[in-house]
Amino acid sequence: MADFLKSYAVAEVGNLRRDKVGLRNKLQKMRDLRGEDAQEIFDLEYSIDIRAAHQEASDARVEYLMDLLDQAYGADKNPARIPAYKNPDDMRIPSGDREGEVVTMSDHIYLSKFAEVFSTQFASKWKHAKSWKDFLHDKISY
């Protein structure tokens, strides 16, 4: 009986050693994955910040160009500021700082492109957004 218990104990110790090695390998694999995830998060945050800088630069350029058009045509005759629709109630700004205002030609171009990009690139990814208007965020100014 003692030999049986000794053999059993030796077998269990062997199993525990194998389990320990297996757990160490799994732990190392998890550490590697965590490192890869940390790098991916860093890269994504960096990419988001680059995009934010591009957006601010683009906004500044648009503001400058709109000011030039205002100077050239007068603010009331700037072709980018004229209403996009004969009936101003056909489309209003759906959200943001200018929510409810009449859509200008400049807005129409922006919103049309936004709707196109949403439908071709993001509609299938963000299923909870029922339309491009849902995809607009109320804190975004355009």
Side-chain angles (χ1 to χ4, degrees), residues 75-128:
D76 57 334
K77 293 183 181 164
N78 178 338
R81 294 192 193 277
I82 62 172
Y85 304 99
K86 289 182 183 184
N87 180 358
D89 291 326
D90 283 349
M91 175 68 171
R92 297 280 181 162
I93 301 292
S95 66
D97 298 342
R98 296 181 47 224
E99 182 175 358
E101 288 185 17
V102 173
V103 173
T104 65
M105 286 305 293
S106 176
D107 298 325
H108 175 74
I109 291 167
Y110 178 93
L111 294 171
S112 296
K113 186 64 172 182
F114 189 95
E116 176 189 326
V117 169
F118 172 75
S119 65
T120 59
Q121 297 179 31
F122 300 116
S124 60
K125 181 178 181 181
W126 304 110
K127 302 257 187 235
H128 68 280

Side-chain angles (χ1 to χ4, degrees), residues 3-85:
D3 288 337
F4 171 75
L5 290 176
K6 182 178 177 185
S7 297
Y8 178 77
V10 168
E12 281 300 308
V13 167
N15 287 338
L16 289 173
R17 282 188 184 140
R18 281 188 295 280
D19 288 348
K20 187 177 174 183
V21 169
L23 289 173
R24 278 191 183 145
N25 290 339
K26 286 181 183 179
L27 180 61
Q28 185 58 48
K29 192 176 204 177
M30 295 302 289
R31 285 181 179 146
D32 293 345
L33 289 173
R34 190 178 89 193
E36 290 170 14
D37 287 346
Q39 182 63 50
E40 185 176 352
I41 289 168
F42 177 85
D43 291 345
L44 288 171
E45 287 177 349
Y46 187 71
S47 175
I48 288 168
D49 288 347
I50 288 171
R51 182 65 192 115
H54 279 291
Q55 184 63 49
E56 286 191 39
S58 180
D59 291 347
R61 178 174 44 198
V62 167
E63 187 175 325
Y64 169 74
L65 293 172
M66 291 296 282
D67 288 344
L68 284 178
L69 286 171
D70 285 345
Q71 291 171 15
Y73 290 96
D76 57 334
K77 293 183 181 164
N78 178 338
R81 294 192 193 277
I82 62 172
Y85 304 99

